[in-house]
């Protein structure tokens, strides 16, 4: 053993001296043989390892972070799931991009999860990515391409080999544009395999992306859609892509007539085309029956109870799912909780919150819209919540008020023409916007539960705007519009003739204010609005009523003349 140690030491000395001889003499002067520091060499990470480090495990459809993710019951959403599976199964079809949009809570993620599992069983699922606004690891576009590439490579050793080589060649690829990432990590490897004779039709080809609206940043959402269009929807690649999202700005404008995806995508508008009432009824029947063994009473619920919940849901699958989650709490009586869910009305200090999950969803959407609107410089002096609440009250038909066209109300509020595009841009998953041939704009809410949320401070909390404040604001705007209008009697008659005869919806603020002022004064007083009396006193002193009288006389004279 001693001989072996001496031999090893000799080898070590010879190795050191050989290394020292490679230095210049000047370098040798800097070497202290008694204090030699051996610097550790950096560990080499191959391309595949680097890819995995940049992927988002939580975004996979079967991730543990998404344990018990919502999916469709066996006999629910049959029509739409069959349509999607048929379209994706037709690889020779004219459109290989499917986009599904729908209102908040309409069941898009449950459908995506169901499609992912079905495609997995058919061995056609190439990859999936589920965005989540509340999960920092999957609420940006950064991990999307690495995560998709990882799944494609995991299913094919040849693809994995080429992806590994691509990252080895360019380790900084993950900081480059999405188009460059897709071109390098997906398109390049598949084109290479195709040129080598591999039959690409045998590889899993379905790519699913869920919750695009939950990706942070409209520009990032648009960048991803553009990258998919430019890179993946080409004839020599095998992919079929299915994207689900609320109808927010990025995907809404891309799919609209004239948008860059309009001709390329098959668009499924979930909220408009498919009535989910029957599915929700079956969903609740099955789950309520499953609770009979716990309650010991087969009559603990009635069909009428189910029908009431389904009607209240307004096509909102998340509503019935939230209600059932509350009712089925294992530490409580399902019958008692069902009664609460059916009769619950919020009030201060109430502990029961059966629809808390819905409140969180509404708060997130409304807060995001508020921040986006008020971040625009031209809107810096406008209160988004106050303006939207005025429109919501107008939508929900307070019968003490005449319902105005949405664009007429916007003009009355001083927002100007086409202001609704900005005000409602990030709320399209909660309301509908329709414009008729005459240009009259009509708004509608998808869900009654959203209106209930806005009406109750204990639910909307910091986002709550009382009706009295809205009425005060509208009265002030009406008074200001009338006082500031320079119209005389003759021009007033001309305005009446052109705006009423031609059915122009954007009639001047002056006329809209005269129409609205009496009703808003009345409801404002009834609601205890503060400051209205002072506003009316100032209006009287400035001759406002005289101005109204002159305009009404001109209108009356014109009506008699036709």
């Amino acid at each position: 053993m001693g001989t072996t140690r001496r031999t090893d030491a000799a080898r070590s000395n010879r190795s050191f001296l050989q290394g020292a001889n490679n230095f210049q003499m000047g370098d040798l002067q800097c070497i202290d043989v008694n204090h030699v520091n051996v610097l550790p060499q950096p560990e080499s990470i191959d391309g595949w390892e680097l890819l995995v480090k940049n992927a988002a495990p939580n975004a996979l459809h079967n991730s543990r972070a998404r344990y018990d993710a919502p999916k469709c019951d066996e006999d629910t959403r049959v029509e739409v799931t069959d349509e999607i599976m048929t379209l994706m199964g037709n690889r020779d079809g004219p459109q290989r991009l499917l986009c599904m949009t729908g209102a908040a809570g309409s069941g898009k993620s449950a459908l995506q999860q169901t499609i992912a599992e079905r495609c997995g069983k058919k061995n056609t699922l190439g990859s999936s990515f589920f965005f989540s606004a509340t999960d920092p690891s999957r609420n940006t576009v950064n991990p999307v391409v690495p995560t998709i590439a990882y799944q494609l490579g995991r299913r094919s050793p040849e693809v994995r080999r080429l992806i590994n080589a691509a990252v080895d060649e360019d380790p900084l690829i993950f900081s480059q544009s999405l188009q460059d990432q897709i071109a390098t990590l997906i398109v390049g490897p598949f084109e290479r395999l195709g040129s080598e004779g591999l039959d690409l039709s045998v590889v899993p080809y379905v790519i699913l992306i869920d919750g695009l609206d939950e990706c942070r940043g409209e520009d990032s959402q648009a960048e991803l859609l553009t990258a998919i269009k430019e890179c993946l929807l080409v004839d020599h690649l095998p992919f079929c892509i299915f994207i689900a999202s609320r109808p927010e700005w990025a995907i809404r404008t891309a799919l609209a007539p004239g948008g860059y995806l309009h001709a390329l995508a098959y668009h499924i508008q979930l909220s408009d085309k498919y009535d989910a009432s029957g599915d929700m009824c079956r969903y609740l029947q099955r789950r309520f029956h499953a609770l009979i063994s716990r309650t010991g009473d087969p009559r603990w619920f009635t069909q009428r109870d189910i029908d009431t919940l389904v009607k209240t849901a307004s096509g909102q699958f998340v509503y019935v799912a939230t209600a059932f989650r509350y009712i089925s709490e294992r530490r409580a009586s399902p019958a008692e909780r069902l009664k609460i869910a059916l009769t619950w009305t919020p009030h201060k200090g109430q502990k029961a919150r059966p629809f808390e999950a819905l409140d969180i969803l509404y708060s997130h959407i409304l807060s995001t819209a508020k921040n986006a609107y008020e971040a625009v410089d031209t809107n810096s002096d406008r209160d988004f919540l106050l303006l939207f609440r005025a429109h919501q009250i107008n939508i929900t038909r307070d019968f003490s008020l005449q319902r105005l066209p949405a664009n007429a109300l916007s003009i009355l509020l001083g927002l100007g023409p086409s202001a609704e595009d900005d005000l409602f841009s990030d709320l399209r998953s909660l309301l509908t916007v329709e414009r008729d041939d005459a240009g009259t704009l009509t708004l509608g809410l998808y869900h009654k539960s959203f209106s209930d949320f806005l009406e109750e401070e204990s639910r909307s909390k910091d986002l709550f705007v009382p009706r009295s404040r809205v009425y005060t604001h509208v009265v002030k705007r009406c008074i200001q519009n009338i006082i500031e209008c320079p119209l005389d009697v003759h021009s007033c008659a001309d305005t009446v003739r052109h705006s009423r005869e031609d059915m122009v919806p954007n009639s001047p603020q002056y006329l809209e204010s005269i129409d609205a002022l009496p009703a808003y004064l009345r409801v404002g007083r009834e609601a205890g609005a503060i400051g209205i009396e002072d506003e009316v006193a100032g209006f009287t002193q400035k001759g406002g009523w005289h101005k109204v009288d002159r305009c009404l006389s001109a209108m009356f004279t014109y009506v008699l003349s036709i």
Side-chain angles (χ1 to χ4, degrees):
M1 185 176 292
T3 303
T4 300
R5 287 177 177 170
R6 284 194 297 273
T7 302
D8 291 340
R11 288 175 180 165
S12 178
N13 289 335
R14 282 199 301 274
S15 177
F16 174 77
L17 291 174
Q18 288 171 358
N21 287 336
N22 292 329
F23 283 84
Q24 299 292 332
M25 289 301 296
D27 294 325
L28 284 173
Q29 294 174 4
C30 300
I31 296 176
D32 182 351
V33 296
N34 295 316
H35 298 86
V36 177
N37 294 322
V38 180
L39 298 176
Q41 295 297 315
E43 293 184 12
S44 62
I45 300 179
D46 69 11
W48 187 255
E49 290 182 47
L50 194 55
L51 178 87
V52 171
K53 286 181 179 293
N54 282 275
N58 288 1
L60 306 184
H61 83 279
N62 57 354
S63 167
R64 191 169 67 182
R66 301 187 65 252
Y67 171 72
D68 197 25
K71 61 181 178 181
C72 303
D73 279 9
E74 185 177 352
D75 58 350
T76 64
R77 315 313 291 266
V78 174
E79 182 183 0
V80 64
T81 51
D82 285 350
E83 181 180 5
I84 293 168
M85 292 299 294
T86 299
L87 289 166
M88 292 195 300
N90 182 13
R91 302 183 69 168
D92 297 323
Q95 293 162 310
R96 291 187 293 121
L97 173 64
L98 281 70
C99 292
M100 179 173 64
T101 59
S106 58
K108 299 179 297 297
S109 292
L111 279 163
Q112 276 282 34
Q113 181 69 25
T114 301
I115 297 299
E117 294 182 7
R118 288 195 183 185
C119 289
K121 291 177 181 178
K122 293 170 65 73
N123 199 33
T124 59
L125 180 63
S127 63
S128 61
F129 192 99
F130 284 72
F131 282 103
S132 173
T134 59
D135 185 342
S137 73
R138 54 189 175 113
N139 66 357
T140 70
V141 293
N142 297 337
V144 173
V145 180
T147 305
I148 291 174
Y150 160 78
Q151 293 170 86
L152 294 171
R154 190 175 65 83
R155 288 167 171 79
S156 168
E158 293 85 358
V159 174
R160 174 171 174 166
R161 171 177 57 82
L162 293 174
I163 292 175
N164 181 66
V167 181
D168 276 342
E169 185 176 337
D170 186 3
L172 296 181
I173 184 63
F174 306 107
S175 62
Q176 297 173 22
S177 71
L178 293 183
Q179 286 197 39
D180 285 346
Q181 289 186 49
I182 293 177
T184 300
L185 301 176
I186 300 175
V187 177
F190 275 84
E191 287 182 336
R192 174 78 176 273
L193 290 174
S195 66
E196 292 177 357
L198 178 68
D199 184 5
L200 297 183
S201 66
V202 302
V203 302
Y205 62 92
V206 172
I207 297 175
L208 305 178
I209 298 174
D210 181 67
L212 178 68
D213 55 281
E214 300 209 21
C215 171
R216 194 168 63 226
E218 291 177 346
D219 291 342
S220 294
Q221 296 171 24
E223 183 189 5
L224 178 57
L225 292 173
T226 302
I228 289 172
K229 169 186 176 291
E230 297 295 333
C231 299
L232 296 182
L233 301 180
V234 292
D235 292 338
H236 59 278
L237 293 176
F239 304 114
C240 179
I241 301 155
F242 179 30
I243 301 172
S245 175
R246 296 180 196 131
E248 306 300 4
W249 177 84
I251 195 165
R252 187 174 75 247
T253 54
L255 293 172
Y260 57 89
L261 293 181
H262 179 70
L264 296 173
Y266 184 91
H267 184 193
I268 297 174
Q269 295 174 285
L270 190 61
S271 302
D272 301 333
K273 184 178 178 182
Y274 302 92
D275 181 8
S277 298
D279 291 333
M280 288 188 286
C281 184
R282 287 186 286 273
Y283 169 92
L284 289 175
Q285 286 172 339
R286 180 180 292 111
R287 279 159 173 73
F288 282 5
H289 275 290
L291 294 178
I292 290 176
S293 60
R294 222 176 82 191
T295 64
D297 179 6
R299 294 178 294 181
W300 74 270
F301 70 94
T302 67
Q303 183 60 43
R304 184 176 180 180
D305 296 334
I306 290 177
D307 292 342
T308 299
L309 288 172
V310 170
K311 182 179 180 180
T312 307
S314 306
Q316 193 178 21
F317 234 105
V318 70
Y319 183 92
V320 295
T322 301
F324 176 73
R325 195 176 302 119
Y326 175 80
I327 292 165
S328 61
E329 165 58 46
R330 65 183 181 87
R331 295 179 179 85
S333 163
E336 291 179 5
R337 289 207 160 202
L338 173 60
K339 187 180 297 184
I340 291 173
L342 291 170
T343 61
W344 182 76
T345 53
H347 57 77
K348 191 173 182 180
Q350 188 178 52
K351 292 184 179 180
R353 300 188 64 84
F355 304 109
E356 186 172 12
L358 268 181
D359 294 347
I360 293 171
L361 173 65
Y362 292 147
S363 294
H364 168 70
I365 296 173
L366 199 56
S367 296
T368 300
K370 175 184 182 298
N371 293 337
Y373 182 81
E374 293 182 354
V376 180
D377 289 340
T378 56
N379 296 329
S380 59
D381 59 341
R382 296 176 182 166
D383 186 329
F384 170 83
L385 294 175
L386 177 62
L387 297 173
F388 173 65
R389 183 81 158 103
H391 275 282
Q392 178 261 332
I393 291 172
N394 187 50
I395 291 171
T396 51
R397 284 190 178 273
D398 183 331
F399 288 102
S400 59
L401 293 168
Q402 177 186 357
R403 184 171 181 176
L404 297 171
N407 40 355
L409 178 58
S410 290
I411 289 176
L412 187 152
L413 293 170
L415 297 181
S418 301
E420 300 80 15
D421 291 340
D422 293 330
L423 188 63
F424 306 125
S425 177
D426 297 296
L427 294 174
R428 298 296 282 273
S429 61
L430 296 174
L431 54 82
T432 60
V433 181
E434 297 179 359
R435 194 182 299 272
D436 64 19
D437 294 338
T440 301
L441 194 66
T442 303
L443 303 180
L445 296 181
Y446 278 117
H447 313 304
K448 178 182 179 298
S449 59
F450 180 51
S451 189
D452 295 340
F453 167 84
L454 293 171
E455 294 286 355
E456 180 51 53
E457 186 175 7
S458 66
R459 295 184 66 183
S460 48
K461 298 180 181 177
D462 293 342
L463 303 173
F464 177 70
V465 177
R467 281 178 172 255
S468 59
R469 186 178 165 214
V470 173
Y471 298 146
T472 300
H473 181 71
V474 174
V475 167
K476 288 181 178 179
R477 285 298 315 175
C478 289
I479 288 174
Q480 182 179 355
N481 294 337
I482 295 169
I483 291 297
E484 293 180 354
C485 182
L487 295 176
D488 58 23
V489 174
H490 298 293
S491 59
C492 182
D494 290 339
T495 299
V496 173
R497 179 169 62 254
H498 292 305
S499 63
R500 301 305 166 108
E501 196 172 74
D502 300 336
M503 300 294 290
V504 177
N506 288 339
S507 54
Q509 294 165 253
Y510 186 60
L511 293 175
E512 299 297 351
S513 299
I514 289 175
D515 284 345
L517 180 58
Y520 275 95
L521 275 173
R522 184 180 67 256
V523 297
R525 287 193 177 106
E526 292 172 355
I530 299 174
I532 284 184
E533 299 297 338
D534 293 337
E535 294 292 330
V536 172
F539 181 66
T540 303
Q541 293 171 1
K542 294 176 182 178
W545 296 118
H546 179 61
K547 205 168 190 179
V548 169
D549 182 61
R550 290 165 59 198
C551 187
L552 290 175
S553 298
M555 291 170 63
F556 183 69
T557 301
Y558 171 71
V559 169
L560 290 178
S561 69
I562 60 176

